[in-house]
PDB file of all heavy atoms in Angstrom:
ATOM      1  N   ARG A 233    -200.340  19.288  28.299  1.00  0.00           N
ATOM      2  CA  ARG A 233    -201.386  19.849  29.207  1.00  0.00           C
ATOM      3  C   ARG A 233    -202.459  18.871  29.536  1.00  0.00           C
ATOM      4  O   ARG A 233    -203.015  18.807  30.629  1.00  0.00           O
ATOM      5  CB  ARG A 233    -201.827  21.084  28.515  1.00  0.00           C
ATOM      6  CG  ARG A 233    -200.922  22.349  28.800  1.00  0.00           C
ATOM      7  CD  ARG A 233    -201.551  23.616  28.261  1.00  0.00           C
ATOM      8  NE  ARG A 233    -201.522  23.602  26.834  1.00  0.00           N
ATOM      9  CZ  ARG A 233    -200.524  24.028  26.003  1.00  0.00           C
ATOM     10  NH1 ARG A 233    -199.369  24.215  26.555  1.00  0.00           N
ATOM     11  NH2 ARG A 233    -200.567  23.954  24.732  1.00  0.00           N
ATOM     12  N   ALA A 234    -202.935  18.088  28.528  1.00  0.00           N
ATOM     13  CA  ALA A 234    -203.987  17.078  28.786  1.00  0.00           C
ATOM     14  C   ALA A 234    -203.463  16.021  29.866  1.00  0.00           C
ATOM     15  O   ALA A 234    -204.394  15.691  30.744  1.00  0.00           O
ATOM     16  CB  ALA A 234    -204.406  16.406  27.433  1.00  0.00           C
ATOM     17  N   ASN A 235    -202.318  15.703  29.685  1.00  0.00           N
ATOM     18  CA  ASN A 235    -201.794  14.674  30.714  1.00  0.00           C
ATOM     19  C   ASN A 235    -201.674  15.373  32.173  1.00  0.00           C
ATOM     20  O   ASN A 235    -201.830  14.649  33.153  1.00  0.00           O
ATOM     21  CB  ASN A 235    -200.501  14.222  30.218  1.00  0.00           C
ATOM     22  CG  ASN A 235    -200.651  12.953  29.373  1.00  0.00           C
ATOM     23  OD1 ASN A 235    -200.925  11.837  29.749  1.00  0.00           O
ATOM     24  ND2 ASN A 235    -200.678  13.384  28.020  1.00  0.00           N
ATOM     25  N   VAL A 236    -201.254  16.624  32.186  1.00  0.00           N
ATOM     26  CA  VAL A 236    -201.288  17.296  33.513  1.00  0.00           C
ATOM     27  C   VAL A 236    -202.594  17.369  34.055  1.00  0.00           C
ATOM     28  O   VAL A 236    -202.894  17.004  35.197  1.00  0.00           O
ATOM     29  CB  VAL A 236    -200.551  18.775  33.335  1.00  0.00           C
ATOM     30  CG1 VAL A 236    -200.755  19.544  34.670  1.00  0.00           C
ATOM     31  CG2 VAL A 236    -199.143  18.633  32.957  1.00  0.00           C
ATOM     32  N   SER A 237    -203.608  17.827  33.222  1.00  0.00           N
ATOM     33  CA  SER A 237    -204.950  17.938  33.795  1.00  0.00           C
ATOM     34  C   SER A 237    -205.518  16.576  34.229  1.00  0.00           C
ATOM     35  O   SER A 237    -206.386  16.407  35.136  1.00  0.00           O
ATOM     36  CB  SER A 237    -205.955  18.407  32.703  1.00  0.00           C
ATOM     37  OG  SER A 237    -205.482  19.443  32.064  1.00  0.00           O
ATOM     38  N   GLY A 238    -205.156  15.556  33.398  1.00  0.00           N
ATOM     39  CA  GLY A 238    -205.686  14.191  33.774  1.00  0.00           C
ATOM     40  C   GLY A 238    -204.861  13.549  34.927  1.00  0.00           C
ATOM     41  O   GLY A 238    -205.351  12.406  35.276  1.00  0.00           O
ATOM     42  N   GLY A 239    -203.827  14.161  35.424  1.00  0.00           N
ATOM     43  CA  GLY A 239    -203.154  13.659  36.454  1.00  0.00           C
ATOM     44  C   GLY A 239    -202.414  12.397  36.148  1.00  0.00           C
ATOM     45  O   GLY A 239    -202.119  11.498  37.019  1.00  0.00           O
ATOM     46  N   THR A 240    -202.013  12.198  34.782  1.00  0.00           N
ATOM     47  CA  THR A 240    -201.326  10.866  34.511  1.00  0.00           C
ATOM     48  C   THR A 240    -199.921  10.913  34.951  1.00  0.00           C
ATOM     49  O   THR A 240    -199.349  11.999  35.262  1.00  0.00           O
ATOM     50  CB  THR A 240    -201.286  10.645  33.006  1.00  0.00           C
ATOM     51  OG1 THR A 240    -200.457  11.721  32.391  1.00  0.00           O
ATOM     52  CG2 THR A 240    -202.758  10.762  32.318  1.00  0.00           C
ATOM     53  N   GLU A 241    -199.246   9.886  34.795  1.00  0.00           N
ATOM     54  CA  GLU A 241    -197.792   9.710  35.190  1.00  0.00           C
ATOM     55  C   GLU A 241    -196.875  10.621  34.292  1.00  0.00           C
ATOM     56  O   GLU A 241    -196.051  11.341  34.760  1.00  0.00           O
ATOM     57  CB  GLU A 241    -197.380   8.284  35.170  1.00  0.00           C
ATOM     58  CG  GLU A 241    -196.032   7.967  35.867  1.00  0.00           C
ATOM     59  CD  GLU A 241    -195.475   6.564  35.651  1.00  0.00           C
ATOM     60  OE1 GLU A 241    -196.333   5.645  35.569  1.00  0.00           O
ATOM     61  OE2 GLU A 241    -194.367   6.430  35.364  1.00  0.00           O
ATOM     62  N   LEU A 242    -197.256  10.629  33.028  1.00  0.00           N
ATOM     63  CA  LEU A 242    -196.576  11.510  32.092  1.00  0.00           C
ATOM     64  C   LEU A 242    -196.789  12.997  32.455  1.00  0.00           C
ATOM     65  O   LEU A 242    -195.802  13.771  32.419  1.00  0.00           O
ATOM     66  CB  LEU A 242    -197.189  11.199  30.771  1.00  0.00           C
ATOM     67  CG  LEU A 242    -196.582  12.222  29.528  1.00  0.00           C
ATOM     68  CD1 LEU A 242    -195.094  11.880  29.315  1.00  0.00           C
ATOM     69  CD2 LEU A 242    -197.385  11.886  28.194  1.00  0.00           C
ATOM     70  N   GLY A 243    -198.027  13.335  32.842  1.00  0.00           N
ATOM     71  CA  GLY A 243    -198.255  14.677  33.266  1.00  0.00           C
ATOM     72  C   GLY A 243    -197.415  15.116  34.453  1.00  0.00           C
ATOM     73  O   GLY A 243    -196.975  16.151  34.631  1.00  0.00           O
ATOM     74  N   GLN A 244    -197.351  14.142  35.406  1.00  0.00           N
ATOM     75  CA  GLN A 244    -196.535  14.454  36.643  1.00  0.00           C
ATOM     76  C   GLN A 244    -195.190  14.667  36.368  1.00  0.00           C
ATOM     77  O   GLN A 244    -194.494  15.492  36.966  1.00  0.00           O
ATOM     78  CB  GLN A 244    -196.770  13.306  37.687  1.00  0.00           C
ATOM     79  CG  GLN A 244    -198.192  13.339  38.296  1.00  0.00           C
ATOM     80  CD  GLN A 244    -198.474  12.127  39.069  1.00  0.00           C
ATOM     81  OE1 GLN A 244    -197.650  11.203  39.417  1.00  0.00           O
ATOM     82  NE2 GLN A 244    -199.765  11.930  39.437  1.00  0.00           N
ATOM     83  N   ARG A 245    -194.575  13.907  35.323  1.00  0.00           N
ATOM     84  CA  ARG A 245    -193.214  14.000  35.076  1.00  0.00           C
ATOM     85  C   ARG A 245    -193.006  15.321  34.334  1.00  0.00           C
ATOM     86  O   ARG A 245    -191.856  15.983  34.467  1.00  0.00           O
ATOM     87  CB  ARG A 245    -192.760  12.818  34.052  1.00  0.00           C
ATOM     88  CG  ARG A 245    -192.711  11.556  34.831  1.00  0.00           C
ATOM     89  CD  ARG A 245    -192.286  10.425  33.814  1.00  0.00           C
ATOM     90  NE  ARG A 245    -190.861  10.360  33.700  1.00  0.00           N
ATOM     91  CZ  ARG A 245    -190.367   9.562  32.740  1.00  0.00           C
ATOM     92  NH1 ARG A 245    -191.085   8.628  32.127  1.00  0.00           N
ATOM     93  NH2 ARG A 245    -188.910   9.465  32.601  1.00  0.00           N
ATOM     94  N   ALA A 246    -193.871  15.712  33.476  1.00  0.00           N
ATOM     95  CA  ALA A 246    -193.748  16.973  32.739  1.00  0.00           C
ATOM     96  C   ALA A 246    -193.968  18.314  33.435  1.00  0.00           C
ATOM     97  O   ALA A 246    -193.412  19.380  33.088  1.00  0.00           O
ATOM     98  CB  ALA A 246    -194.652  16.912  31.470  1.00  0.00           C
ATOM     99  N   LYS A 247    -194.843  18.273  34.402  1.00  0.00           N
ATOM    100  CA  LYS A 247    -195.434  19.468  35.034  1.00  0.00           C
ATOM    101  C   LYS A 247    -194.376  20.437  35.418  1.00  0.00           C
ATOM    102  O   LYS A 247    -194.382  21.624  35.092  1.00  0.00           O
ATOM    103  CB  LYS A 247    -196.431  19.143  36.101  1.00  0.00           C
ATOM    104  CG  LYS A 247    -197.206  20.300  36.585  1.00  0.00           C
ATOM    105  CD  LYS A 247    -198.272  19.985  37.665  1.00  0.00           C
ATOM    106  CE  LYS A 247    -199.026  21.137  38.084  1.00  0.00           C
ATOM    107  NZ  LYS A 247    -198.499  22.488  38.250  1.00  0.00           N
ATOM    108  N   ARG A 248    -193.411  20.059  36.264  1.00  0.00           N
ATOM    109  CA  ARG A 248    -192.570  21.028  36.871  1.00  0.00           C
ATOM    110  C   ARG A 248    -191.683  21.737  35.706  1.00  0.00           C
ATOM    111  O   ARG A 248    -191.344  22.875  35.870  1.00  0.00           O
ATOM    112  CB  ARG A 248    -191.626  20.406  37.920  1.00  0.00           C
ATOM    113  CG  ARG A 248    -190.627  19.439  37.453  1.00  0.00           C
ATOM    114  CD  ARG A 248    -190.028  18.740  38.821  1.00  0.00           C
ATOM    115  NE  ARG A 248    -189.360  17.464  38.302  1.00  0.00           N
ATOM    116  CZ  ARG A 248    -188.082  17.514  38.221  1.00  0.00           C
ATOM    117  NH1 ARG A 248    -187.288  18.460  38.267  1.00  0.00           N
ATOM    118  NH2 ARG A 248    -187.491  16.288  37.755  1.00  0.00           N
ATOM    119  N   PHE A 249    -191.354  20.968  34.696  1.00  0.00           N
ATOM    120  CA  PHE A 249    -190.585  21.678  33.567  1.00  0.00           C
ATOM    121  C   PHE A 249    -191.515  22.667  32.890  1.00  0.00           C
ATOM    122  O   PHE A 249    -190.988  23.755  32.601  1.00  0.00           O
ATOM    123  CB  PHE A 249    -190.152  20.609  32.585  1.00  0.00           C
ATOM    124  CG  PHE A 249    -189.274  19.568  33.173  1.00  0.00           C
ATOM    125  CD1 PHE A 249    -189.676  18.391  33.542  1.00  0.00           C
ATOM    126  CD2 PHE A 249    -187.886  19.927  33.431  1.00  0.00           C
ATOM    127  CE1 PHE A 249    -188.793  17.438  34.134  1.00  0.00           C
ATOM    128  CE2 PHE A 249    -187.014  18.968  33.944  1.00  0.00           C
ATOM    129  CZ  PHE A 249    -187.490  17.705  34.349  1.00  0.00           C
ATOM    130  N   MET A 250    -192.731  22.305  32.661  1.00  0.00           N
ATOM    131  CA  MET A 250    -193.607  23.191  31.917  1.00  0.00           C
ATOM    132  C   MET A 250    -193.885  24.414  32.767  1.00  0.00           C
ATOM    133  O   MET A 250    -193.925  25.631  32.260  1.00  0.00           O
ATOM    134  CB  MET A 250    -194.956  22.516  31.621  1.00  0.00           C
ATOM    135  CG  MET A 250    -194.837  21.355  30.757  1.00  0.00           C
ATOM    136  SD  MET A 250    -196.329  20.425  30.560  1.00  0.00           S
ATOM    137  CE  MET A 250    -197.386  21.543  29.581  1.00  0.00           C
ATOM    138  N   ASP A 251    -194.127  24.290  34.129  1.00  0.00           N
ATOM    139  CA  ASP A 251    -194.359  25.385  34.965  1.00  0.00           C
ATOM    140  C   ASP A 251    -193.214  26.274  34.919  1.00  0.00           C
ATOM    141  O   ASP A 251    -193.430  27.671  35.046  1.00  0.00           O
ATOM    142  CB  ASP A 251    -194.712  24.924  36.438  1.00  0.00           C
ATOM    143  CG  ASP A 251    -196.049  24.304  36.481  1.00  0.00           C
ATOM    144  OD1 ASP A 251    -196.821  24.514  35.553  1.00  0.00           O
ATOM    145  OD2 ASP A 251    -196.383  23.663  37.587  1.00  0.00           O
ATOM    146  N   ALA A 252    -192.026  25.890  34.853  1.00  0.00           N
ATOM    147  CA  ALA A 252    -190.716  26.668  34.915  1.00  0.00           C
ATOM    148  C   ALA A 252    -190.504  27.296  33.524  1.00  0.00           C
ATOM    149  O   ALA A 252    -189.670  28.068  33.350  1.00  0.00           O
ATOM    150  CB  ALA A 252    -189.732  25.907  35.379  1.00  0.00           C
ATOM    151  N   GLY A 253    -191.191  26.844  32.502  1.00  0.00           N
ATOM    152  CA  GLY A 253    -190.965  27.321  31.168  1.00  0.00           C
ATOM    153  C   GLY A 253    -189.856  26.658  30.512  1.00  0.00           C
ATOM    154  O   GLY A 253    -189.204  27.100  29.520  1.00  0.00           O
ATOM    155  N   ASP A 254    -189.451  25.512  31.180  1.00  0.00           N
ATOM    156  CA  ASP A 254    -188.219  24.747  30.460  1.00  0.00           C
ATOM    157  C   ASP A 254    -188.799  23.645  29.668  1.00  0.00           C
ATOM    158  O   ASP A 254    -189.963  23.285  29.695  1.00  0.00           O
ATOM    159  CB  ASP A 254    -187.528  24.132  31.652  1.00  0.00           C
ATOM    160  CG  ASP A 254    -186.595  25.055  32.396  1.00  0.00           C
ATOM    161  OD1 ASP A 254    -186.086  25.851  31.728  1.00  0.00           O
ATOM    162  OD2 ASP A 254    -186.526  24.918  33.679  1.00  0.00           O
ATOM    163  N   LEU A 255    -187.915  23.110  28.821  1.00  0.00           N
ATOM    164  CA  LEU A 255    -188.307  21.962  27.964  1.00  0.00           C
ATOM    165  C   LEU A 255    -188.370  20.701  28.910  1.00  0.00           C
ATOM    166  O   LEU A 255    -187.599  20.436  29.735  1.00  0.00           O
ATOM    167  CB  LEU A 255    -187.293  21.789  26.937  1.00  0.00           C
ATOM    168  CG  LEU A 255    -187.111  22.792  25.813  1.00  0.00           C
ATOM    169  CD1 LEU A 255    -186.238  22.353  24.602  1.00  0.00           C
ATOM    170  CD2 LEU A 255    -188.475  23.294  25.324  1.00  0.00           C
ATOM    171  N   VAL A 256    -189.375  19.877  28.554  1.00  0.00           N
ATOM    172  CA  VAL A 256    -189.499  18.556  29.180  1.00  0.00           C
ATOM    173  C   VAL A 256    -188.353  17.746  28.619  1.00  0.00           C
ATOM    174  O   VAL A 256    -188.081  17.857  27.428  1.00  0.00           O
ATOM    175  CB  VAL A 256    -190.917  18.002  28.853  1.00  0.00           C
ATOM    176  CG1 VAL A 256    -190.998  16.551  29.396  1.00  0.00           C
ATOM    177  CG2 VAL A 256    -191.945  18.845  29.316  1.00  0.00           C
ATOM    178  N   PRO A 257    -187.647  16.971  29.500  1.00  0.00           N
ATOM    179  CA  PRO A 257    -186.509  16.167  28.935  1.00  0.00           C
ATOM    180  C   PRO A 257    -186.840  15.374  27.635  1.00  0.00           C
ATOM    181  O   PRO A 257    -187.976  14.845  27.516  1.00  0.00           O
ATOM    182  CB  PRO A 257    -186.194  15.188  30.096  1.00  0.00           C
ATOM    183  CG  PRO A 257    -186.765  15.909  31.348  1.00  0.00           C
ATOM    184  CD  PRO A 257    -187.937  16.561  30.882  1.00  0.00           C
ATOM    185  N   ASP A 258    -185.864  15.318  26.834  1.00  0.00           N
ATOM    186  CA  ASP A 258    -186.014  14.696  25.439  1.00  0.00           C
ATOM    187  C   ASP A 258    -186.585  13.149  25.619  1.00  0.00           C
ATOM    188  O   ASP A 258    -187.342  12.760  24.771  1.00  0.00           O
ATOM    189  CB  ASP A 258    -184.722  14.674  24.731  1.00  0.00           C
ATOM    190  CG  ASP A 258    -184.370  16.097  24.234  1.00  0.00           C
ATOM    191  OD1 ASP A 258    -185.296  16.903  24.321  1.00  0.00           O
ATOM    192  OD2 ASP A 258    -183.305  16.218  23.689  1.00  0.00           O
ATOM    193  N   VAL A 259    -185.964  12.406  26.603  1.00  0.00           N
ATOM    194  CA  VAL A 259    -186.491  11.002  26.693  1.00  0.00           C
ATOM    195  C   VAL A 259    -187.956  10.957  26.849  1.00  0.00           C
ATOM    196  O   VAL A 259    -188.604  10.068  26.234  1.00  0.00           O
ATOM    197  CB  VAL A 259    -185.823  10.224  27.803  1.00  0.00           C
ATOM    198  CG1 VAL A 259    -184.351   9.717  27.492  1.00  0.00           C
ATOM    199  CG2 VAL A 259    -185.796  10.927  29.124  1.00  0.00           C
ATOM    200  N   VAL A 260    -188.444  11.848  27.616  1.00  0.00           N
ATOM    201  CA  VAL A 260    -189.938  11.909  27.899  1.00  0.00           C
ATOM    202  C   VAL A 260    -190.669  12.147  26.588  1.00  0.00           C
ATOM    203  O   VAL A 260    -191.513  11.549  26.174  1.00  0.00           O
ATOM    204  CB  VAL A 260    -190.322  12.728  29.049  1.00  0.00           C
ATOM    205  CG1 VAL A 260    -191.844  12.811  29.251  1.00  0.00           C
ATOM    206  CG2 VAL A 260    -189.570  12.324  30.403  1.00  0.00           C
ATOM    207  N   THR A 261    -190.312  13.338  26.072  1.00  0.00           N
ATOM    208  CA  THR A 261    -190.957  13.889  24.977  1.00  0.00           C
ATOM    209  C   THR A 261    -190.878  13.005  23.754  1.00  0.00           C
ATOM    210  O   THR A 261    -191.835  12.784  23.017  1.00  0.00           O
ATOM    211  CB  THR A 261    -190.348  15.296  24.570  1.00  0.00           C
ATOM    212  OG1 THR A 261    -190.346  16.053  25.788  1.00  0.00           O
ATOM    213  CG2 THR A 261    -191.157  16.017  23.531  1.00  0.00           C
ATOM    214  N   ASN A 262    -189.634  12.501  23.517  1.00  0.00           N
ATOM    215  CA  ASN A 262    -189.368  11.632  22.266  1.00  0.00           C
ATOM    216  C   ASN A 262    -190.383  10.404  22.217  1.00  0.00           C
ATOM    217  O   ASN A 262    -190.918   9.993  21.278  1.00  0.00           O
ATOM    218  CB  ASN A 262    -188.027  11.230  22.086  1.00  0.00           C
ATOM    219  CG  ASN A 262    -187.070  12.444  21.729  1.00  0.00           C
ATOM    220  OD1 ASN A 262    -187.622  13.475  21.408  1.00  0.00           O
ATOM    221  ND2 ASN A 262    -185.861  12.299  21.925  1.00  0.00           N
TER     222      ASN A 262
END
Side-chain angles (χ1 to χ4, degrees):
R233 278 185 290 279
N235 277 277
V236 170
S237 317
T240 67
E241 199 186 318
L242 175 66
Q244 282 165 18
R245 290 178 79 180
K247 188 174 186 318
R248 68 191 163 97
F249 297 101
M250 297 174 72
D251 286 348
D254 284 322
L255 295 188
V256 176
D258 287 351
V259 277
V260 177
T261 308
N262 290 344

